[in-house]
Amino acid sequence: MIKPLIDQFDISAEAVTGILRQTLKSADDGELYLEYQENEALSFDNGRLKTAAFHQDSGFGLRAVAGEAVGYAHAGELSAAALKRAADAASAVTRGYSGNCHAAPQHTIHRLYGEENPIGAPSFEEKTALLQKIDTYLRACDAKVRQVTASLNASWQVVEILRADGRLTRDIRPLVRLGISVVAGDGSRLESGFYGCGGRKAFADFITEENWQQAADEALRQALVNLQARPAPAGIFDGVLANGWPGVMLHEAVGHGLEGDFNRKKTSAFAALMGKQVAARGVTIVDDGTLAQRRGSLNIDDEGTPTGRNVLIEDGKLVGYMQDRLNARLMGMAPTGNGRRESYTSTPLPRMTNTFMLGGDKTPEEILGSVKDGIYCVSFGGGQVDITSGKFVFECTEAYRIENGKVGAPIKGATLIGNGPEAMHRISMVGNDPKLDNGVGMCGKAGQSVPVGVGQPHLRLNGMTIGGTQA
C-alpha cells in the first residue's frame, strides 16, 4: 500500500495546507489534486506478444477559481519549490478579486470497489500465457480465422484532494480491461469482430476460463456474421436498437448535451429546456456513478464530491444536468459528483460516469415484431456528434434487416444519421430489458479521456435515416 501522497512532499502536510490556503484566500473555489498512477498494457497479435508496456507517474495540480476564470498549474514532482511556483501561477486569476472559498460540506464517501492493485496479479507470465491461450483457442474454433489480437490493460490510480479548509479526501481506483479482435476470411473477403469487458476490479474476478472463452466466442461470432453481411440499404427506416452497448448513441447524442458547461454557455441543443419535454414519454435517462465495480463509477469525483445517481430526463422531461463545482456555482445549482479529469495535468470538467436509459414495458420480441421493414442495430463502432446542433453519425458494426417483424439477413456499411433531441422524440417503444455495456467505454472531451459506462434497453425509433452501401 502506498503511503499518503501528501506525506511525500519534502515539507509537512500542515505546510502544504498553508500554501494552499494562501493561494485560495481570495478565490471562489479551488483545490490541490495529488495523483499516483501505474498503467500496464499487453497486446498479443498473430501468435506472439507484440507490445508490453508499463508506465508510472505522479504529480499534483493546483487550481484557483475566481468567477469563471481558472488558474491552473501542475508539476510532476511533490516538492515545496514546485508547489510554490504553481501557487504563484494559479493565484494570478485572483489578483484584484475578492471571492469566498467556502468549506466543502461533509459527505459520506462511497466504497464501490476494492483497493487491490490489479497489475501485480496474475503475473506477467500468467497474463502472457492467457493471451496465448485466447489466440490458440480462436484459431482452433474455425478455419476462417485469419488474425487474432488480444489485449489486457490494467491501471491503479491513487488520488488525494486537499481543500483550503484542510479536509483531505482519498480514493484508490483499480481498472482492468480485456479486448479481443478477430479477423475472419472467406476467399479474398475479410471481416472483423470485437468483444471487450472490464471494470473496477481485480483481474481474477473476471478472467476465468469461462469468461474469456465467452468473450472470444462473441468476437468470432460477430466476425462470421459480418462475413455473411450484405451491403446496407440507404433511406428512411423504422429501426430497433439492441440493449447494452448501443447506449453509446445516448451517451454521445444526448449525454454530452446535458453536461453543465455546455448549458451554462448555451452551446448545447438542450440549453434553456429545463422542465421541457425533450424526449418521448416513457424515456428516462440517468447518470449513475455509484454502481459497484462499474467502469465509469467513482467513490468521489476528481474534485472530492461523492458521485451520485442523477436523473437527467424523466418520462421525457429534462430534469437535471451533470455538474462539477464551477458550473454548478455559476448556475445556482448543486454539484452532482461529475467533476472529472484525465490526470493531474488537467483541469476538472463536468463529465459522464455511467449513463443509461431505464427500462420500459415492451419485450424485445414485441418491439422487433412491430417493425414491417426496418433495420436492427445490434452494435455501434465510431460516432461523431455536434453538441450545439445535436447532429450525429454512428457506424453500425453489427446490423440486420427486419422484414415483417422478423430479423433477416445481416447488413454491413450502415450508418445511423440523425439529431439527438429529435431522435429522443422518435422513440416509440422502450424495452423491459435494460442492460449496461461490458466495461470498455472511453469518453473524450476537450482533449481529455476518461473511462465511462453506457447502457439501455431495446428501443424502437421511428423514421431513422440510414446511410448505406447498397448499389
mmCIF file of all heavy atoms in Angstrom, residues 251-301:
data_model
loop_
_atom_site.group_PDB
_atom_site.id
_atom_site.type_symbol
_atom_site.label_atom_id
_atom_site.label_comp_id
_atom_site.label_asym_id
_atom_site.label_seq_id
_atom_site.Cartn_x
_atom_site.Cartn_y
_atom_site.Cartn_z
ATOM 1 N N HIS A 251 -25.156 8.307 -25.043
ATOM 2 C CA HIS A 251 -24.004 8.978 -24.438
ATOM 3 C C HIS A 251 -23.552 10.141 -25.307
ATOM 4 O O HIS A 251 -23.350 11.258 -24.806
ATOM 5 C CB HIS A 251 -22.872 7.952 -24.271
ATOM 6 C CG HIS A 251 -21.559 8.548 -23.878
ATOM 7 N ND1 HIS A 251 -21.082 8.527 -22.581
ATOM 8 C CD2 HIS A 251 -20.599 9.186 -24.604
ATOM 9 C CE1 HIS A 251 -19.907 9.115 -22.532
ATOM 10 N NE2 HIS A 251 -19.586 9.532 -23.749
ATOM 11 N N GLU A 252 -23.382 9.885 -26.594
ATOM 12 C CA GLU A 252 -22.844 10.915 -27.483
ATOM 13 C C GLU A 252 -23.899 11.937 -27.887
ATOM 14 O O GLU A 252 -23.671 13.145 -27.807
ATOM 15 C CB GLU A 252 -22.260 10.260 -28.743
ATOM 16 C CG GLU A 252 -21.046 9.389 -28.489
ATOM 17 C CD GLU A 252 -19.796 10.195 -28.127
ATOM 18 O OE1 GLU A 252 -19.858 11.443 -28.146
ATOM 19 O OE2 GLU A 252 -18.769 9.567 -27.822
ATOM 20 N N ALA A 253 -25.069 11.457 -28.318
ATOM 21 C CA ALA A 253 -26.058 12.355 -28.908
ATOM 22 C C ALA A 253 -26.856 13.124 -27.866
ATOM 23 O O ALA A 253 -27.395 14.193 -28.171
ATOM 24 C CB ALA A 253 -27.008 11.549 -29.800
ATOM 25 N N VAL A 254 -26.945 12.601 -26.635
ATOM 26 C CA VAL A 254 -27.744 13.244 -25.599
ATOM 27 C C VAL A 254 -26.899 13.598 -24.373
ATOM 28 O O VAL A 254 -26.981 14.697 -23.843
ATOM 29 C CB VAL A 254 -28.921 12.337 -25.178
ATOM 30 C CG1 VAL A 254 -29.748 12.999 -24.087
ATOM 31 C CG2 VAL A 254 -29.796 12.015 -26.379
ATOM 32 N N GLY A 255 -26.071 12.645 -23.918
ATOM 33 C CA GLY A 255 -25.337 12.826 -22.671
ATOM 34 C C GLY A 255 -24.463 14.061 -22.648
ATOM 35 O O GLY A 255 -24.514 14.854 -21.688
ATOM 36 N N HIS A 256 -23.650 14.258 -23.691
ATOM 37 C CA HIS A 256 -22.773 15.436 -23.696
ATOM 38 C C HIS A 256 -23.584 16.727 -23.655
ATOM 39 O O HIS A 256 -23.165 17.713 -23.035
ATOM 40 C CB HIS A 256 -21.866 15.413 -24.924
ATOM 41 C CG HIS A 256 -20.675 14.532 -24.769
ATOM 42 N ND1 HIS A 256 -19.698 14.760 -23.831
ATOM 43 C CD2 HIS A 256 -20.298 13.407 -25.436
ATOM 44 C CE1 HIS A 256 -18.766 13.820 -23.919
ATOM 45 N NE2 HIS A 256 -19.113 12.989 -24.882
ATOM 46 N N GLY A 257 -24.727 16.729 -24.301
ATOM 47 C CA GLY A 257 -25.566 17.917 -24.311
ATOM 48 C C GLY A 257 -26.178 18.239 -22.964
ATOM 49 O O GLY A 257 -26.730 19.336 -22.777
ATOM 50 N N LEU A 258 -26.080 17.310 -21.991
ATOM 51 C CA LEU A 258 -26.636 17.528 -20.659
ATOM 52 C C LEU A 258 -25.547 17.799 -19.627
ATOM 53 O O LEU A 258 -25.818 17.799 -18.425
ATOM 54 C CB LEU A 258 -27.479 16.318 -20.242
ATOM 55 C CG LEU A 258 -28.675 16.034 -21.150
ATOM 56 C CD1 LEU A 258 -29.441 14.820 -20.664
ATOM 57 C CD2 LEU A 258 -29.603 17.247 -21.236
ATOM 58 N N GLU A 259 -24.319 18.046 -20.069
ATOM 59 C CA GLU A 259 -23.237 18.440 -19.169
ATOM 60 C C GLU A 259 -23.327 19.941 -18.893
ATOM 61 O O GLU A 259 -23.655 20.731 -19.780
ATOM 62 C CB GLU A 259 -21.889 18.061 -19.773
ATOM 63 C CG GLU A 259 -21.697 16.542 -19.823
ATOM 64 C CD GLU A 259 -20.538 16.080 -20.674
ATOM 65 O OE1 GLU A 259 -20.075 16.850 -21.549
ATOM 66 O OE2 GLU A 259 -20.093 14.933 -20.477
ATOM 67 N N GLY A 260 -23.048 20.315 -17.638
ATOM 68 C CA GLY A 260 -23.317 21.663 -17.182
ATOM 69 C C GLY A 260 -22.658 22.774 -17.969
ATOM 70 O O GLY A 260 -23.280 23.813 -18.221
ATOM 71 N N ASP A 261 -21.392 22.597 -18.371
ATOM 72 C CA ASP A 261 -20.686 23.697 -19.032
ATOM 73 C C ASP A 261 -21.328 24.088 -20.354
ATOM 74 O O ASP A 261 -21.454 25.267 -20.672
ATOM 75 C CB ASP A 261 -19.206 23.362 -19.208
ATOM 76 C CG ASP A 261 -18.958 22.009 -19.852
ATOM 77 O OD1 ASP A 261 -19.913 21.222 -20.019
ATOM 78 O OD2 ASP A 261 -17.787 21.720 -20.186
ATOM 79 N N PHE A 262 -21.755 23.094 -21.143
ATOM 80 C CA PHE A 262 -22.380 23.412 -22.430
ATOM 81 C C PHE A 262 -23.702 24.152 -22.240
ATOM 82 O O PHE A 262 -24.079 24.999 -23.056
ATOM 83 C CB PHE A 262 -22.612 22.133 -23.236
ATOM 84 C CG PHE A 262 -21.350 21.428 -23.646
ATOM 85 C CD1 PHE A 262 -21.172 20.081 -23.382
ATOM 86 C CD2 PHE A 262 -20.330 22.104 -24.291
ATOM 87 C CE1 PHE A 262 -20.014 19.419 -23.751
ATOM 88 C CE2 PHE A 262 -19.160 21.457 -24.667
ATOM 89 C CZ PHE A 262 -19.001 20.112 -24.388
ATOM 90 N N ASN A 263 -24.422 23.847 -21.157
ATOM 91 C CA ASN A 263 -25.703 24.504 -20.917
ATOM 92 C C ASN A 263 -25.524 25.889 -20.302
ATOM 93 O O ASN A 263 -26.273 26.822 -20.614
ATOM 94 C CB ASN A 263 -26.574 23.613 -20.035
ATOM 95 C CG ASN A 263 -27.091 22.412 -20.803
ATOM 96 O OD1 ASN A 263 -28.078 22.504 -21.524
ATOM 97 N ND2 ASN A 263 -26.411 21.275 -20.678
ATOM 98 N N ARG A 264 -24.518 26.039 -19.437
ATOM 99 C CA ARG A 264 -24.236 27.371 -18.902
ATOM 100 C C ARG A 264 -23.842 28.334 -20.012
ATOM 101 O O ARG A 264 -24.260 29.506 -20.022
ATOM 102 C CB ARG A 264 -23.128 27.291 -17.848
ATOM 103 C CG ARG A 264 -22.737 28.653 -17.282
ATOM 104 C CD ARG A 264 -21.710 28.518 -16.185
ATOM 105 N NE ARG A 264 -20.427 28.048 -16.661
ATOM 106 C CZ ARG A 264 -19.492 28.820 -17.222
ATOM 107 N NH1 ARG A 264 -19.714 30.110 -17.404
ATOM 108 N NH2 ARG A 264 -18.332 28.310 -17.593
ATOM 109 N N LYS A 265 -23.055 27.840 -20.960
ATOM 110 C CA LYS A 265 -22.607 28.684 -22.069
ATOM 111 C C LYS A 265 -23.616 28.748 -23.202
ATOM 112 O O LYS A 265 -23.382 29.401 -24.204
ATOM 113 C CB LYS A 265 -21.260 28.153 -22.585
ATOM 114 C CG LYS A 265 -20.156 28.195 -21.547
ATOM 115 C CD LYS A 265 -18.918 27.470 -22.043
ATOM 116 C CE LYS A 265 -17.839 27.403 -20.963
ATOM 117 N NZ LYS A 265 -16.656 26.621 -21.413
ATOM 118 N N LYS A 266 -24.724 27.988 -23.045
ATOM 119 C CA LYS A 266 -25.793 27.955 -24.043
ATOM 120 C C LYS A 266 -25.301 27.474 -25.412
ATOM 121 O O LYS A 266 -25.764 27.952 -26.460
ATOM 122 C CB LYS A 266 -26.491 29.313 -24.149
ATOM 123 C CG LYS A 266 -27.215 29.702 -22.862
ATOM 124 C CD LYS A 266 -27.956 31.005 -22.991
ATOM 125 C CE LYS A 266 -28.898 31.273 -21.822
ATOM 126 N NZ LYS A 266 -28.427 30.857 -20.507
ATOM 127 N N THR A 267 -24.367 26.521 -25.403
ATOM 128 C CA THR A 267 -23.891 25.918 -26.644
ATOM 129 C C THR A 267 -24.460 24.522 -26.845
ATOM 130 O O THR A 267 -24.100 23.849 -27.810
ATOM 131 C CB THR A 267 -22.355 25.852 -26.660
ATOM 132 O OG1 THR A 267 -21.908 25.138 -25.505
ATOM 133 C CG2 THR A 267 -21.749 27.245 -26.653
ATOM 134 N N SER A 268 -25.329 24.080 -25.941
ATOM 135 C CA SER A 268 -25.957 22.769 -26.062
ATOM 136 C C SER A 268 -27.328 22.895 -26.712
ATOM 137 O O SER A 268 -28.043 23.878 -26.490
ATOM 138 C CB SER A 268 -26.106 22.121 -24.688
ATOM 139 O OG SER A 268 -26.989 21.006 -24.736
ATOM 140 N N ALA A 269 -27.710 21.864 -27.469
ATOM 141 C CA ALA A 269 -29.054 21.824 -28.052
ATOM 142 C C ALA A 269 -30.119 21.740 -26.962
ATOM 143 O O ALA A 269 -31.297 21.982 -27.227
ATOM 144 C CB ALA A 269 -29.174 20.637 -29.003
ATOM 145 N N PHE A 270 -29.715 21.407 -25.708
ATOM 146 C CA PHE A 270 -30.668 21.294 -24.602
ATOM 147 C C PHE A 270 -30.676 22.532 -23.703
ATOM 148 O O PHE A 270 -31.370 22.546 -22.687
ATOM 149 C CB PHE A 270 -30.343 20.057 -23.752
ATOM 150 C CG PHE A 270 -30.561 18.758 -24.479
ATOM 151 C CD1 PHE A 270 -29.502 18.123 -25.119
ATOM 152 C CD2 PHE A 270 -31.812 18.173 -24.519
ATOM 153 C CE1 PHE A 270 -29.699 16.928 -25.779
ATOM 154 C CE2 PHE A 270 -32.017 16.973 -25.178
ATOM 155 C CZ PHE A 270 -30.958 16.345 -25.821
ATOM 156 N N ALA A 271 -29.914 23.552 -24.046
ATOM 157 C CA ALA A 271 -29.833 24.746 -23.203
ATOM 158 C C ALA A 271 -31.204 25.396 -23.054
ATOM 159 O O ALA A 271 -31.981 25.464 -24.011
ATOM 160 C CB ALA A 271 -28.836 25.737 -23.797
ATOM 161 N N ALA A 272 -31.511 25.850 -21.848
ATOM 162 C CA ALA A 272 -32.746 26.572 -21.538
ATOM 163 C C ALA A 272 -34.001 25.719 -21.720
ATOM 164 O O ALA A 272 -35.097 26.257 -21.885
ATOM 165 C CB ALA A 272 -32.853 27.846 -22.384
ATOM 166 N N LEU A 273 -33.842 24.381 -21.691
ATOM 167 C CA LEU A 273 -35.002 23.499 -21.856
ATOM 168 C C LEU A 273 -35.365 22.777 -20.560
ATOM 169 O O LEU A 273 -36.140 21.816 -20.576
ATOM 170 C CB LEU A 273 -34.746 22.475 -22.969
ATOM 171 C CG LEU A 273 -34.615 23.030 -24.387
ATOM 172 C CD1 LEU A 273 -34.340 21.902 -25.369
ATOM 173 C CD2 LEU A 273 -35.871 23.800 -24.790
ATOM 174 N N MET A 274 -34.824 23.212 -19.431
ATOM 175 C CA MET A 274 -35.125 22.556 -18.162
ATOM 176 C C MET A 274 -36.642 22.541 -17.921
ATOM 177 O O MET A 274 -37.321 23.559 -18.042
ATOM 178 C CB MET A 274 -34.419 23.272 -17.016
ATOM 179 C CG MET A 274 -34.573 22.574 -15.666
ATOM 180 S SD MET A 274 -33.806 20.933 -15.633
ATOM 181 C CE MET A 274 -32.063 21.377 -15.656
ATOM 182 N N GLY A 275 -37.162 21.367 -17.594
ATOM 183 C CA GLY A 275 -38.590 21.195 -17.364
ATOM 184 C C GLY A 275 -39.403 20.966 -18.617
ATOM 185 O O GLY A 275 -40.607 20.694 -18.530
ATOM 186 N N LYS A 276 -38.765 21.058 -19.778
ATOM 187 C CA LYS A 276 -39.467 20.874 -21.046
ATOM 188 C C LYS A 276 -39.443 19.409 -21.475
ATOM 189 O O LYS A 276 -38.592 18.629 -21.060
ATOM 190 C CB LYS A 276 -38.838 21.733 -22.145
ATOM 191 C CG LYS A 276 -38.750 23.217 -21.819
ATOM 192 C CD LYS A 276 -40.103 23.876 -21.785
ATOM 193 C CE LYS A 276 -39.970 25.388 -21.596
ATOM 194 N NZ LYS A 276 -41.288 26.043 -21.513
ATOM 195 N N GLN A 277 -40.383 19.047 -22.359
ATOM 196 C CA GLN A 277 -40.435 17.696 -22.918
ATOM 197 C C GLN A 277 -39.368 17.605 -24.014
ATOM 198 O O GLN A 277 -39.510 18.197 -25.082
ATOM 199 C CB GLN A 277 -41.822 17.406 -23.497
ATOM 200 C CG GLN A 277 -42.126 15.939 -23.700
ATOM 201 C CD GLN A 277 -42.501 15.221 -22.412
ATOM 202 O OE1 GLN A 277 -42.934 15.862 -21.459
ATOM 203 N NE2 GLN A 277 -42.310 13.912 -22.369
ATOM 204 N N VAL A 278 -38.280 16.884 -23.742
ATOM 205 C CA VAL A 278 -37.176 16.788 -24.697
ATOM 206 C C VAL A 278 -37.051 15.385 -25.283
ATOM 207 O O VAL A 278 -36.169 15.123 -26.099
ATOM 208 C CB VAL A 278 -35.836 17.188 -24.039
ATOM 209 C CG1 VAL A 278 -35.863 18.641 -23.594
ATOM 210 C CG2 VAL A 278 -35.496 16.267 -22.868
ATOM 211 N N ALA A 279 -37.930 14.473 -24.873
ATOM 212 C CA ALA A 279 -37.924 13.103 -25.382
ATOM 213 C C ALA A 279 -39.338 12.556 -25.281
ATOM 214 O O ALA A 279 -40.218 13.155 -24.642
ATOM 215 C CB ALA A 279 -36.956 12.225 -24.578
ATOM 216 N N ALA A 280 -39.550 11.415 -25.910
ATOM 217 C CA ALA A 280 -40.871 10.785 -25.853
ATOM 218 C C ALA A 280 -41.201 10.372 -24.419
ATOM 219 O O ALA A 280 -40.305 10.109 -23.610
ATOM 220 C CB ALA A 280 -40.890 9.567 -26.773
ATOM 221 N N ARG A 281 -42.477 10.315 -24.100
ATOM 222 C CA ARG A 281 -42.895 9.833 -22.787
ATOM 223 C C ARG A 281 -42.425 8.383 -22.613
ATOM 224 O O ARG A 281 -42.402 7.605 -23.556
ATOM 225 C CB ARG A 281 -44.403 9.933 -22.634
ATOM 226 C CG ARG A 281 -44.901 11.366 -22.618
ATOM 227 C CD ARG A 281 -46.323 11.469 -22.084
ATOM 228 N NE ARG A 281 -46.759 12.862 -22.033
ATOM 229 C CZ ARG A 281 -46.470 13.713 -21.064
ATOM 230 N NH1 ARG A 281 -45.713 13.313 -20.051
ATOM 231 N NH2 ARG A 281 -46.909 14.951 -21.089
ATOM 232 N N GLY A 282 -42.045 8.062 -21.395
ATOM 233 C CA GLY A 282 -41.507 6.728 -21.128
ATOM 234 C C GLY A 282 -39.996 6.667 -21.178
ATOM 235 O O GLY A 282 -39.404 5.660 -20.777
ATOM 236 N N VAL A 283 -39.363 7.760 -21.640
ATOM 237 C CA VAL A 283 -37.905 7.806 -21.733
ATOM 238 C C VAL A 283 -37.340 8.440 -20.462
ATOM 239 O O VAL A 283 -37.615 9.611 -20.166
ATOM 240 C CB VAL A 283 -37.449 8.594 -22.969
ATOM 241 C CG1 VAL A 283 -35.935 8.804 -22.945
ATOM 242 C CG2 VAL A 283 -37.862 7.871 -24.247
ATOM 243 N N THR A 284 -36.578 7.669 -19.687
ATOM 244 C CA THR A 284 -35.895 8.182 -18.504
ATOM 245 C C THR A 284 -34.417 7.848 -18.606
ATOM 246 O O THR A 284 -34.056 6.681 -18.796
ATOM 247 C CB THR A 284 -36.487 7.580 -17.211
ATOM 248 O OG1 THR A 284 -37.858 7.992 -17.092
ATOM 249 C CG2 THR A 284 -35.718 8.051 -15.992
ATOM 250 N N ILE A 285 -33.576 8.866 -18.506
ATOM 251 C CA ILE A 285 -32.125 8.706 -18.660
ATOM 252 C C ILE A 285 -31.445 9.144 -17.366
ATOM 253 O O ILE A 285 -31.752 10.203 -16.808
ATOM 254 C CB ILE A 285 -31.604 9.513 -19.861
ATOM 255 C CG1 ILE A 285 -32.250 9.004 -21.152
ATOM 256 C CG2 ILE A 285 -30.083 9.415 -19.962
ATOM 257 C CD1 ILE A 285 -31.892 9.799 -22.394
ATOM 258 N N VAL A 286 -30.520 8.319 -16.924
ATOM 259 C CA VAL A 286 -29.848 8.501 -15.639
ATOM 260 C C VAL A 286 -28.344 8.474 -15.841
ATOM 261 O O VAL A 286 -27.839 7.733 -16.695
ATOM 262 C CB VAL A 286 -30.268 7.378 -14.658
ATOM 263 C CG1 VAL A 286 -29.461 7.431 -13.374
ATOM 264 C CG2 VAL A 286 -31.764 7.452 -14.360
ATOM 265 N N ASP A 287 -27.628 9.285 -15.076
ATOM 266 C CA ASP A 287 -26.169 9.140 -14.959
ATOM 267 C C ASP A 287 -25.879 8.718 -13.530
ATOM 268 O O ASP A 287 -26.243 9.432 -12.588
ATOM 269 C CB ASP A 287 -25.448 10.445 -15.292
ATOM 270 C CG ASP A 287 -23.934 10.274 -15.250
ATOM 271 O OD1 ASP A 287 -23.360 9.860 -16.263
ATOM 272 O OD2 ASP A 287 -23.345 10.543 -14.179
ATOM 273 N N ASP A 288 -25.248 7.560 -13.355
ATOM 274 C CA ASP A 288 -25.068 6.987 -12.021
ATOM 275 C C ASP A 288 -23.623 6.545 -11.829
ATOM 276 O O ASP A 288 -23.181 5.553 -12.409
ATOM 277 C CB ASP A 288 -26.016 5.801 -11.833
ATOM 278 C CG ASP A 288 -26.108 5.342 -10.381
ATOM 279 O OD1 ASP A 288 -25.235 5.733 -9.581
ATOM 280 O OD2 ASP A 288 -27.046 4.592 -10.064
ATOM 281 N N GLY A 289 -22.906 7.288 -11.000
ATOM 282 C CA GLY A 289 -21.519 6.940 -10.701
ATOM 283 C C GLY A 289 -21.363 6.062 -9.486
ATOM 284 O O GLY A 289 -20.243 5.854 -9.014
ATOM 285 N N THR A 290 -22.471 5.506 -8.970
ATOM 286 C CA THR A 290 -22.422 4.744 -7.715
ATOM 287 C C THR A 290 -22.638 3.251 -7.909
ATOM 288 O O THR A 290 -22.907 2.530 -6.948
ATOM 289 C CB THR A 290 -23.493 5.265 -6.731
ATOM 290 O OG1 THR A 290 -24.806 4.928 -7.224
ATOM 291 C CG2 THR A 290 -23.389 6.767 -6.547
ATOM 292 N N LEU A 291 -22.530 2.750 -9.143
ATOM 293 C CA LEU A 291 -22.733 1.327 -9.409
ATOM 294 C C LEU A 291 -21.452 0.566 -9.083
ATOM 295 O O LEU A 291 -20.372 0.885 -9.599
ATOM 296 C CB LEU A 291 -23.118 1.108 -10.870
ATOM 297 C CG LEU A 291 -24.368 1.879 -11.338
ATOM 298 C CD1 LEU A 291 -24.596 1.658 -12.825
ATOM 299 C CD2 LEU A 291 -25.583 1.468 -10.540
ATOM 300 N N ALA A 292 -21.552 -0.449 -8.257
ATOM 301 C CA ALA A 292 -20.367 -1.162 -7.769
ATOM 302 C C ALA A 292 -19.565 -1.766 -8.909
ATOM 303 O O ALA A 292 -20.106 -2.433 -9.794
ATOM 304 C CB ALA A 292 -20.784 -2.261 -6.792
ATOM 305 N N GLN A 293 -18.267 -1.483 -8.899
ATOM 306 C CA GLN A 293 -17.261 -2.081 -9.781
ATOM 307 C C GLN A 293 -17.445 -1.737 -11.258
ATOM 308 O O GLN A 293 -16.744 -2.292 -12.105
ATOM 309 C CB GLN A 293 -17.228 -3.606 -9.615
ATOM 310 C CG GLN A 293 -16.842 -4.056 -8.216
ATOM 311 C CD GLN A 293 -16.639 -5.557 -8.113
ATOM 312 O OE1 GLN A 293 -17.334 -6.347 -8.760
ATOM 313 N NE2 GLN A 293 -15.692 -5.971 -7.297
ATOM 314 N N ARG A 294 -18.338 -0.807 -11.576
ATOM 315 C CA ARG A 294 -18.521 -0.439 -12.973
ATOM 316 C C ARG A 294 -17.394 0.473 -13.439
ATOM 317 O O ARG A 294 -16.810 1.230 -12.669
ATOM 318 C CB ARG A 294 -19.855 0.260 -13.182
ATOM 319 C CG ARG A 294 -21.071 -0.600 -12.914
ATOM 320 C CD ARG A 294 -21.151 -1.808 -13.811
ATOM 321 N NE ARG A 294 -21.076 -1.468 -15.217
ATOM 322 C CZ ARG A 294 -21.172 -2.363 -16.210
ATOM 323 N NH1 ARG A 294 -21.327 -3.649 -15.930
ATOM 324 N NH2 ARG A 294 -21.103 -1.993 -17.458
ATOM 325 N N ARG A 295 -17.134 0.432 -14.741
ATOM 326 C CA ARG A 295 -16.014 1.166 -15.333
ATOM 327 C C ARG A 295 -16.108 2.677 -15.102
ATOM 328 O O ARG A 295 -15.113 3.345 -14.829
ATOM 329 C CB ARG A 295 -15.954 0.866 -16.835
ATOM 330 C CG ARG A 295 -14.776 1.509 -17.549
ATOM 331 C CD ARG A 295 -14.692 1.024 -18.987
ATOM 332 N NE ARG A 295 -13.627 1.697 -19.696
ATOM 333 C CZ ARG A 295 -12.353 1.321 -19.684
ATOM 334 N NH1 ARG A 295 -11.995 0.266 -18.975
ATOM 335 N NH2 ARG A 295 -11.441 1.990 -20.353
ATOM 336 N N GLY A 296 -17.313 3.232 -15.178
ATOM 337 C CA GLY A 296 -17.462 4.675 -15.020
ATOM 338 C C GLY A 296 -17.677 5.131 -13.597
ATOM 339 O O GLY A 296 -17.817 6.331 -13.351
ATOM 340 N N SER A 297 -17.718 4.206 -12.640
ATOM 341 C CA SER A 297 -18.030 4.560 -11.257
ATOM 342 C C SER A 297 -16.817 5.113 -10.523
ATOM 343 O O SER A 297 -15.674 4.747 -10.810
ATOM 344 C CB SER A 297 -18.562 3.337 -10.514
ATOM 345 O OG SER A 297 -19.794 2.904 -11.060
ATOM 346 N N LEU A 298 -17.099 5.986 -9.543
ATOM 347 C CA LEU A 298 -16.059 6.564 -8.700
ATOM 348 C C LEU A 298 -16.613 6.726 -7.294
ATOM 349 O O LEU A 298 -17.784 7.084 -7.116
ATOM 350 C CB LEU A 298 -15.626 7.942 -9.220
ATOM 351 C CG LEU A 298 -14.969 8.004 -10.598
ATOM 352 C CD1 LEU A 298 -14.869 9.450 -11.060
ATOM 353 C CD2 LEU A 298 -13.601 7.350 -10.568
ATOM 354 N N ASN A 299 -15.781 6.501 -6.289
ATOM 355 C CA ASN A 299 -16.194 6.795 -4.919
ATOM 356 C C ASN A 299 -16.392 8.293 -4.720
ATOM 357 O O ASN A 299 -17.357 8.736 -4.096
ATOM 358 C CB ASN A 299 -15.150 6.269 -3.936
ATOM 359 C CG ASN A 299 -15.110 4.760 -3.889
ATOM 360 O OD1 ASN A 299 -16.147 4.101 -3.943
ATOM 361 N ND2 ASN A 299 -13.920 4.186 -3.789
ATOM 362 N N ILE A 300 -15.456 9.068 -5.241
ATOM 363 C CA ILE A 300 -15.569 10.530 -5.286
ATOM 364 C C ILE A 300 -15.134 10.972 -6.674
ATOM 365 O O ILE A 300 -14.357 10.291 -7.350
ATOM 366 C CB ILE A 300 -14.668 11.223 -4.235
ATOM 367 C CG1 ILE A 300 -13.214 10.747 -4.383
ATOM 368 C CG2 ILE A 300 -15.185 10.991 -2.832
ATOM 369 C CD1 ILE A 300 -12.207 11.505 -3.532
ATOM 370 N N ASP A 301 -15.649 12.118 -7.119
ATOM 371 C CA ASP A 301 -15.162 12.635 -8.392
ATOM 372 C C ASP A 301 -13.804 13.306 -8.182
ATOM 373 O O ASP A 301 -13.236 13.272 -7.073
ATOM 374 C CB ASP A 301 -16.194 13.551 -9.048
ATOM 375 C CG ASP A 301 -16.352 14.905 -8.354
ATOM 376 O OD1 ASP A 301 -15.620 15.198 -7.379
ATOM 377 O OD2 ASP A 301 -17.232 15.675 -8.795
#
